[in-house]
Amino acid sequence: MSRLESKVAFITGAARGQGRSHAVRLAAEGADIVGIDICRQLDSVNYAMSTPDDLAETVRQVESRGGRMLGIEADVRDLDGMHAAVARGLREFGRLDIVLANAGVMTQSLPPHEKSRDAWRDGIDVLLTGVWHTLQATYQPLIDGARGGSIVITSSSQGLRPFFSDLSGGFDSYAAAKAGVIGLMRSYAATLAEWNIRVNSIHPTGVNTPMVVNEFFGEYMEKSNPKTAARVVNALPVELVEPIDVSEAVLYLVCESGRYVTGTCLPVDAGLVFAG
Ligand SMILES: NC(=O)c1ccc[n+]([C@@H]2O[C@H](COP(=O)([O-])OP(=O)(O)OC[C@H]3O[C@@H](n4cnc5c(N)ncnc54)[C@H](O)[C@@H]3O)[C@@H](O)[C@H]2O)c1
């Protein structure tokens, strides 16, 4: 018996990377997927963001394994658009059980930091306000479903232990937002518990996705703060974990296995936070 048979999952940032991996993995357990993604570029992001073709590829991968997925181009910064996407998902699949607030960017502002304010604003808008929008657009349908539910917010190891600043709006917005979502996670966990809706966050170390595997990231780290960047090393002998490693942790939280787990931060960090 598949572990998520008849469940519906709403996933942000589903076009590629971890969001795609979560979509494919949850679908393999029987869940129907509503996956949204912005599918276009932000000026304050130096690496290539996703495209409509990427989102179509996630849909293809889910369907090729026998799953069902509705892919929607939507921006987590747009609350009305998020409500509309959730409503489309409800019309298509009739219910909502799981929410993965996964969409993210790493905005960048290299010295002399002309882009610093934009990098701060876009980072906070996507990573903090976008998560709040995702919670706002989904909590009522979860309550109305009266079957409980599970929300997982993707934070970062940076959310538990900010390692360094680039002294600009780039990493600063990332560290602030990834810590900020822990507050949202705990307050929603406490409030939604009476409806048996669980809320947790996951905190990956570096993951092998285009957010960090791109021609700019290594150089950016090095130029931003070389001494501190050199100290960010996992305890276990692995440089980057794979998206599937995070998906398996998500699966643990959203399935019956996690039924009494709420309000927690789950690191998938190869020991980076406590020993790195
Ligand atoms: N890759 C890492 O090393 C790493 C480590 C820890 C945490 N994270 C977090 O994991 C999550 C997933 O990132 P990833 O590694 O898969 O990177 P990724 O860049 O491959 O995927 C992120 C996806 O989010 C989408 N997105 C960005 N802004 C959006 C918006 N405004 N609205 C809707 N979609 C939007 C992008 O288009 C992209 O498809 C992010 O929250 C990221 O901060 C990543």
Side-chain angles (χ1 to χ4, degrees), residues 27-266:
E29 293 292 342
D32 293 324
I33 309 295
V34 182
I36 72 114
D37 203 291
I38 189 171
C39 298
R40 64 178 170 80
Q41 196 65 34
L42 297 188
D43 288 344
S44 53
V45 174
N46 286 336
Y47 58 88
M49 289 174 62
S50 69
T51 65
D53 285 348
D54 291 323
L55 186 57
E57 172 61 16
T58 303
V59 174
R60 193 197 64 74
Q61 290 193 19
V62 166
E63 290 178 348
S64 71
R65 290 162 174 82
R68 296 195 297 172
M69 176 171 169
L70 177 63
I72 302 172
E73 285 181 41
D75 185 341
V76 295
R77 297 173 300 172
D78 168 16
L79 182 55
D80 292 340
M82 292 295 285
H83 279 295
V86 171
R88 269 187 71 187
L90 287 169
R91 282 198 298 277
E92 182 80 11
F93 297 127
R95 58 187 278 172
L96 179 65
D97 304 277
I98 294 162
V99 176
L100 306 182
N102 161 83
V105 286
M106 186 173 282
T107 59
Q108 288 128 344
S109 158
L110 282 169
H113 297 309
E114 288 120 343
K115 286 188 180 177
S116 189
R117 288 181 198 195
D118 291 347
W120 172 264
R121 187 201 57 229
D122 290 347
I124 295 295
D125 283 355
V126 175
L127 296 167
L128 184 56
T129 308
V131 169
W132 182 69
H133 287 168
T134 306
L135 294 168
Q136 285 284 297
T138 55
Y139 80 84
Q140 195 62 53
L142 288 173
I143 290 174
D144 293 345
R147 288 177 293 263
S150 178
I151 301 172
V152 180
I153 297 171
T154 303
S155 173
S156 165
S157 49
Q158 281 271 95
L160 295 173
R161 181 183 157 202
F163 295 92
F164 58 94
S165 169
D166 60 358
L167 303 176
S168 88
F171 277 130
D172 286 357
S173 63
Y174 199 85
K178 293 300 190 185
V181 296
I182 298 173
L184 279 176
M185 179 274 288
R186 291 215 166 109
S187 56
Y188 274 67
T191 305
L192 297 178
E194 75 171 276
W195 291 281
N196 210 20
I197 298 166
R198 301 178 295 103
V199 192
N200 295 285
S201 55
I202 47 170
H203 300 263
T205 182
V207 187
N208 184 11
T209 72
M211 178 177 284
V212 295
V213 182
N214 61 65
E215 57 181 307
F216 298 105
F217 184 72
E219 191 190 53
Y220 184 61
M221 293 275 281
E222 194 55 34
K223 281 190 184 155
S224 296
N225 199 333
K227 282 189 192 146
T228 326
R231 291 207 303 269
V232 184
V233 177
N234 293 331
L236 292 173
V238 60
E239 195 180 338
L240 296 172
V241 301
E242 294 299 323
I244 188 65
D245 297 311
V246 186
S247 301
E248 293 296 340
V250 166
L251 207 55
Y252 161 72
L253 289 172
V254 303
C255 286
E256 191 68 4
S257 44
R259 65 185 167 159
Y260 297 128
V261 181
T262 195
T264 65
C265 299
L266 177 58

